[in-house]
């Protein structure tokens, strides 16, 4: 979690929550997706886990983006490599895709 360093960050929370029956898990990539995911969670039945970070993240979606629960988003098309990312790593994955293209 940013300034706290890696000793304060783990990923087992995703495995633990996914092992609980009935939970919906969402890991938004930016503020636009977070706001929409919170609205979906509030209007849905059942427990939700929305994993957030404390750092200010760059926007990766524009204002016409619409969050759809359970649907992956293809952000760039390519032919030789597939990069899959969630949450804070989406911006880094997009940068990696640009670097690979060059």
């Amino acid at each position: 979690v940013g300034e706290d360093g890696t000793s304060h960050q783990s990923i087992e929370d995703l495995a633990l929550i996914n092992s609980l029956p009935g939970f919906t898990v969402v890991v938004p990539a930016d503020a636009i997706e977070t706001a929409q995911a919170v609205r979906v969670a509030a209007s849905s039945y059942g427990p939700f886990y929305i994993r957030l970070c404390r750092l200010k993240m760059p926007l990766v979606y524009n204002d016409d983006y619409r969050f759809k629960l359970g649907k992956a988003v293809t952000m760039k098309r390519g032919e030789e490599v597939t990069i899959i990312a969630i949450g804070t790593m989406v911006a880094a994955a997009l940068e990696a895709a640009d670097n690979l293209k060059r």
Side-chain angles (χ1 to χ4, degrees):
V1 281
E3 298 81 19
D4 292 341
T6 57
S7 66
H8 287 70
Q9 178 67 14
S10 64
I11 58 172
E12 67 262 9
D13 62 317
L14 295 177
L16 292 169
I17 293 294
N18 274 306
S19 71
L20 298 172
F23 264 83
T24 300
V25 178
V26 177
V27 187
D30 67 5
I32 292 170
E33 189 171 39
T34 298
Q36 293 183 31
V38 168
R39 284 188 207 98
V40 167
S43 66
S44 298
Y45 178 79
F48 263 75
Y49 180 75
I50 301 176
R51 187 178 206 234
L52 304 174
C53 72
R54 292 190 315 184
L55 296 176
K56 183 175 180 175
M57 297 302 300
L59 294 179
V60 296
Y61 295 110
N62 53 34
D63 290 332
D64 64 347
Y65 169 75
R66 294 297 168 253
F67 174 77
K68 292 186 178 123
L69 189 60
K71 300 292 180 183
V73 177
T74 300
M75 301 190 74
K76 291 186 182 237
R77 297 223 174 258
E79 296 179 11
E80 297 179 22
V81 171
T82 299
I83 301 173
I84 300 171
I86 60 172
T88 60
M89 295 309 297
V90 172
L94 291 169
E95 183 179 341
D98 288 341
N99 290 338
L100 286 170
K101 186 175 182 177
R102 283 193 297 275

